[in-house]
Amino acid sequence: MLAQGSVQTRGALWASGLPSLLLCSLWQVGEGPGLQPQVAADTFSLPSALLYKPIDRVTRSTLVLHDLLKHTPADHPDYPLLQDALRISQNFLSSINEDIDPRRTAVTTPKGETRQLVKDGFLVELSEGSRKLRHVFLFTDVLLWHWAQGECYDCKWYVPLADLVFPSLEESEHCPQVHVIPDHELEDMKMKISTIKSEMQKEKANKGQSRAIERLKKKMFENEFWLLLNSPAIPFRIHNRNGKSYLFLLSSDYERSEWREAIQRLQKKDLQAFVLSSVELQVLTGSCFKLRTVHNIPVTSNKDDDESPGLYGFLHVIVHSAKGFKQSANLYCTLEVDSFGYFVSKAKTRVFRDTTEPQWNEEFEIELEGSQSLRILCYEKCYDKTKLNKDNNEIVDKIMGKGQIQLDPQAVQTKNWHMDVIEMNGIKVEFSMKFTSRDMSLKRTPSKKQTGVFGVKISVVTKRERSKVPYIVRQCIEEVEKRGIEEVGIYRISGVATDIQALKAVFDANNKDILVMLSDMDINAIAGTLKLYFRELPEPLLTDRLYPAFMEGIALSDPAAKENCMMHLLRSLPDPNLITFLFLLEHLKRVAEKEPINKMSLHNLATVFGPTLLRPSEGESKAHLTLASDIWSHDVMAQVQVLLYYLQHPPISFTELKRNTLYFSTDV
């Protein structure tokens, strides 16, 4: 027998998860005649030749089990027991084979087939009211997920695909509701991350201490991890027939569709239910670590320094057409890009009704924040109000196809349009794209034609119109409040560029058909026209002259001093600018009142309009924007904070402001 001092070692071996068959063989080898125990109080060593004997015994036992199973009738009561014993032995032998092909698995299914890894990735699980990041693995017959930290994998749960079902819409009523993190908290975190990035870039440029850079990296990882954990809000529910349900949260329909389709493809095969023993589960967990295709949590702090930081600026995309549909349907597309480690929906085409070959020909302008991929998803529009998603009370549309392309900086950073085709489930979507860098988008070119409104000073337009607020601003706001104030993502979702350009031409020409055209136009195009008007002003609405003072004012820590400064700056604006700004401010507040419906908070609206109403002059932008990734620089964050300050402020009266002008100097 083994020496008494080896009890601790024996316990450690049992805890390690080695199959009992191997352990029994090991102890029997130790009991052989003439063998003297070579075990100290906390060590365990055997002659190397003897260490092969237990494994050899398992190998021979596996062959015996295989022969027994071959000659045992399937209806014999011992048949399932022999199956389990054979599977355990085979899995163990596979797990110790170091020469295994990394693209094959080290385990077998209950039917004796090779268990292969199909898909893996990081998903957020909502468990007991809190969000947990899991590494999820889909094998040919089982879905399992781990809490992963470094190289230590701890299997939390698994569901055999034979037992896995997706809850129906009716069953989802009884599932826990998803708590969505407020947008302003997510935007605040993005700003913190961007500030840290800027600090890191400065440290590297100044050849700062490695310790300082490491501290910043650690801080950035913590913030990015929080964002990755709290951003996803699209529910992906799975249910085990044995009664337990699980809820994962994803950032887009694309991921949800990918996982669901992969599982459903595997479920078409002849699968059988099973229960994994603790040993089998440990072996499978070890295989997960070896076979994983996604090695790192998808945050930028995990990237190497030589990896592409992604694109910062504006991507112009024209969705031309699609073909390959087998029957007529009401079809539309959405566009998604990655930002801060997850994907966000940025644009949506109009619905092309009852067709197999939709011809959209719609152009969109999408803001990129370190983006590396573009996704296009094609949907069939559902008008059946009984098919409501219980999580958000929105009708569930069917995904007909989806595809993704990498945004190659060299390919897209040209002045010419680049045409491409995405193939998805037999469907082909044709589109074109081109990219405008951030520094180019900051340029404001005054219009040579002063009779129009775009690119013309606001004072010139209001004087010509004999109005306090430009006609284009009043009409666009009136139309949005009439029929778009409850539109999900109003001002965030891009309007069709061709529609926006058509409205721009009509307003510039002062066409008498403006009102008719507005009433027929898609509301996102009208919202986009308003944003374009402010963006193309030869000088930002809050003026170049006051820009440095706004940056200093918003940074003040004393509330009373900040209040005095921010109100004084408003008084310092030219009257047409101030009146137009206050008019827009009250409109945005009314939009935010509908946040439960349109999902646009004050912070969301400040993020959309802040950098448009308040931008550095071209000379200042060249000094600040030394790197493309400075799009979320300190200045841009401050621009958002300036507008947010006024949006959160009690109503501001033009008359009251001007009445107090006498008590303040107008010098800034």
Side-chain angles (χ1 to χ4, degrees):
M1 290 292 290
L2 290 171
Q4 288 296 320
S6 67
V7 171
Q8 181 181 351
T9 304
R10 190 186 307 187
L13 283 168
W14 279 106
S16 70
L18 286 171
S20 56
L21 183 60
L22 172 62
L23 290 174
C24 290
S25 301
L26 191 57
W27 306 142
Q28 289 165 13
V29 168
E31 291 172 334
L35 178 65
Q36 296 299 317
Q38 301 178 14
V39 183
D42 55 355
T43 62
F44 178 36
S45 62
L46 283 171
S48 59
L50 290 176
L51 291 174
Y52 290 99
K53 289 192 175 183
I55 298 170
D56 183 56
R57 184 169 293 182
V58 175
T59 304
R60 284 186 280 113
S61 299
T62 303
L63 294 173
V64 172
L65 284 169
H66 191 276
D67 287 339
L68 281 172
L69 192 64
K70 186 177 178 181
H71 296 95
T72 302
D75 57 349
H76 193 280
D78 288 342
Y79 189 87
L81 298 175
L82 289 169
Q83 269 190 321
D84 287 341
L86 178 61
R87 189 167 73 254
I88 292 170
S89 298
Q90 287 175 330
N91 289 347
F92 171 71
L93 290 173
S94 297
S95 69
I96 61 173
N97 180 9
E98 296 299 328
D99 297 325
I100 190 167
D101 181 349
R103 287 306 305 148
R104 292 181 57 199
T105 60
V107 287
T108 55
T109 67
K111 297 172 68 176
E113 299 170 348
T114 302
R115 178 178 283 144
Q116 294 182 326
L117 177 64
V118 176
K119 180 178 176 64
D120 71 299
F122 288 95
L123 301 182
V124 174
E125 183 188 11
L126 191 62
S127 175
E128 297 178 351
S130 61
R131 293 171 179 242
K132 309 285 178 64
L133 192 67
R134 308 293 194 203
H135 198 159
V136 182
F137 291 82
L138 175 62
F139 286 90
T140 42
D141 67 332
V142 64
L143 181 76
L144 74 160
W145 51 101
H146 307 268
W147 172 78
Q149 185 171 6
E151 298 188 1
C152 176
Y153 270 51
D154 175 24
C155 182
K156 304 305 290 185
W157 291 278
Y158 73 91
V159 181
L161 297 190
D163 291 332
L164 189 152
V165 293
F166 296 106
S168 64
L169 290 173
E170 292 75 19
E171 291 170 328
S172 294
E173 286 188 61
H174 308 292
C175 296
Q177 296 299 298
V178 177
H179 171 65
V180 179
I181 305 298
D183 286 325
H184 68 87
E185 291 186 25
L186 300 176
E187 295 299 331
D188 285 344
M189 185 55 73
K190 288 181 183 179
M191 291 178 179
K192 288 180 183 177
I193 292 168
S194 300
T195 301
I196 296 170
K197 281 183 180 178
S198 297
E199 290 176 11
M200 285 177 61
Q201 288 162 358
K202 288 176 184 176
E203 284 285 341
K204 289 177 180 178
N206 298 330
K207 297 182 179 178
Q209 295 182 356
S210 58
R211 286 184 181 179
I213 294 173
E214 286 304 314
R215 278 198 302 270
L216 289 170
K217 272 189 176 181
K218 183 180 178 183
K219 194 174 179 183
M220 188 166 79
F221 176 82
E222 290 170 354
N223 289 342
E224 286 189 312
F225 186 84
W226 184 94
L227 192 64
L228 188 69
L229 203 61
N230 290 283
S231 298
I234 295 177
F236 176 56
R237 303 181 189 276
I238 61 173
H239 181 71
N240 191 325
R241 293 184 200 276
N242 296 327
K244 189 163 178 61
S245 294
Y246 305 95
L247 173 58
F248 294 96
L249 301 175
L250 296 93
S251 63
S252 84
D253 260 350
Y254 191 99
E255 278 98 6
R256 179 166 61 179
S257 175
E258 285 269 286
W259 283 98
R260 189 176 185 125
E261 287 174 8
I263 291 170
Q264 288 175 332
R265 275 196 303 271
L266 294 169
Q267 287 181 324
K268 291 178 181 178
K269 300 177 182 178
D270 182 23
L271 300 172
Q272 65 182 59
F274 57 87
V275 176
L276 293 173
S277 68
S278 59
V279 172
E280 289 177 294
L281 197 54
Q282 283 198 345
V283 171
L284 189 54
T285 298
S287 299
C288 288
F289 181 75
K290 288 191 291 184
L291 298 168
R292 60 195 171 140
T293 61
V294 181
H295 292 264
N296 296 317
I297 296 171
V299 293
T300 56
S301 48
N302 276 341
K303 290 182 178 179
D304 296 329
D305 291 338
D306 58 350
E307 284 189 64
S308 170
L311 293 170
Y312 290 81
F314 293 90
L315 184 70
H316 302 264
V317 181
I318 301 176
V319 183
H320 296 292
S321 60
K323 58 184 179 181
F325 298 96
K326 294 178 180 177
Q327 57 187 31
S328 295
N330 303 315
L331 303 166
Y332 70 93
C333 284
T334 62
L335 307 179
E336 295 180 354
V337 293
D338 55 319
S339 170
F340 291 89
Y342 61 96
F343 279 81
V344 182
S345 181
K346 288 285 191 176
K348 176 182 174 182
T349 69
R350 60 170 58 93
V351 178
F352 215 93
R353 291 176 177 268
D354 195 25
T355 182
T356 56
E357 294 190 5
Q359 301 283 329
W360 292 292
N361 293 313
E362 297 181 26
E363 182 184 339
F364 303 94
E365 182 184 78
I366 299 171
E367 187 171 5
L368 304 182
E369 303 165 284
S371 306
Q372 294 181 314
S373 302
L374 169 69
R375 288 174 172 175
I376 299 182
L377 294 90
C378 194
Y379 291 84
E380 178 183 2
K381 182 68 178 174
C382 176
Y383 294 100
D384 185 353
K385 293 186 177 180
T386 62
K387 296 184 178 180
L388 283 177
N389 186 328
K390 305 304 177 184
D391 292 299
N392 53 21
N393 287 323
E394 293 179 8
I395 295 175
V396 180
D397 294 336
K398 180 182 177 183
I399 295 181
M400 304 298 288
K402 61 191 183 308
Q404 175 174 316
I405 62 163
Q406 294 300 115
L407 296 175
D408 180 7
Q410 293 182 342
V412 298
Q413 292 195 54
T414 62
K415 293 182 180 180
N416 301 322
W417 287 94
H418 171 70
M419 185 170 280
D420 208 339
V421 174
I422 282 186
E423 294 194 30
M424 45 178 84
N425 301 344
I427 300 165
K428 293 183 179 181
V429 176
E430 189 177 86
F431 66 99
S432 300
M433 60 182 178
K434 67 178 180 178
F435 174 73
T436 304
S437 63
R438 179 66 178 172
D439 54 339
M440 289 297 293
S441 69
L442 284 172
K443 290 186 177 180
R444 293 173 181 261
T445 307
S447 173
K448 295 178 181 178
K449 186 180 178 182
Q450 291 295 299
T451 55
V453 293
F454 282 83
V456 179
K457 286 184 178 180
I458 196 168
S459 56
V460 173
V461 172
T462 51
K463 185 177 181 180
R464 185 205 313 143
E465 294 177 352
R466 297 180 182 178
S467 62
K468 294 181 178 180
V469 177
Y471 178 71
I472 182 174
V473 176
R474 287 183 281 121
Q475 288 307 127
C476 286
I477 285 177
E478 182 181 323
E479 199 65 32
V480 168
E481 294 195 358
K482 186 190 298 181
R483 60 188 178 90
I485 202 163
E486 295 186 352
E487 181 80 10
V488 175
I490 188 69
Y491 290 119
R492 178 178 60 80
I493 299 294
S494 300
V496 179
T498 46
D499 290 347
I500 293 171
Q501 290 302 316
L503 283 171
K504 175 183 177 180
V506 169
F507 275 111
D508 267 340
N510 195 22
N511 194 301
K512 61 182 180 180
D513 295 327
I514 289 176
L515 294 180
V516 175
M517 194 170 179
L518 280 173
S519 63
D520 292 337
M521 192 64 72
D522 174 67
I523 199 64
N524 288 316
I526 295 170
T529 303
L530 181 64
K531 290 189 294 181
L532 183 66
Y533 169 73
F534 286 119
R535 193 191 306 159
E536 291 195 357
L537 284 173
E539 181 183 48
L541 189 64
L542 299 186
T543 73
D544 288 332
R545 181 177 70 90
L546 294 178
Y547 180 80
F550 275 112
M551 293 297 98
E552 291 173 11
I554 199 63
L556 293 173
S557 55
D558 180 70
K562 182 183 283 189
E563 167 77 9
N564 287 334
C565 179
M566 299 301 279
M567 291 303 109
H568 172 55
L569 288 169
L570 286 187
R571 294 184 197 99
S572 304
L573 287 169
D575 282 1
N577 296 55
L578 175 57
I579 296 170
T580 301
F581 178 69
L582 296 179
F583 187 78
L584 176 65
L585 208 60
E586 291 309 306
H587 163 64
L588 296 179
K589 288 181 180 181
R590 289 191 290 272
V591 172
E593 287 174 2
K594 300 290 185 179
E595 181 190 353
I597 303 171
N598 62 31
K599 314 298 182 190
M600 293 300 290
S601 63
L602 289 175
H603 201 291
N604 278 349
L605 293 164
T607 302
V608 171
F609 278 93
T612 299
L613 303 178
L614 192 71
R615 286 189 180 185
S617 62
E618 195 173 325
E620 282 191 68
S621 69
K622 285 181 180 177
H624 287 285
L625 287 171
T626 55
L627 290 170
S629 55
D630 276 342
I631 183 172
W632 279 95
S633 64
H634 180 270
D635 271 13
V636 175
M637 290 182 265
Q639 292 156 19
V640 173
Q641 290 301 317
V642 167
L643 181 54
L644 186 61
Y645 180 86
Y646 291 123
L647 284 170
Q648 293 174 336
H649 197 280
I652 302 169
S653 163
F654 174 80
T655 307
E656 286 294 320
L657 277 173
K658 288 301 179 181
R659 187 179 297 154
N660 292 331
T661 303
L662 298 174
Y663 303 103
F664 294 90
S665 167
T666 56
D667 296 329
V668 178

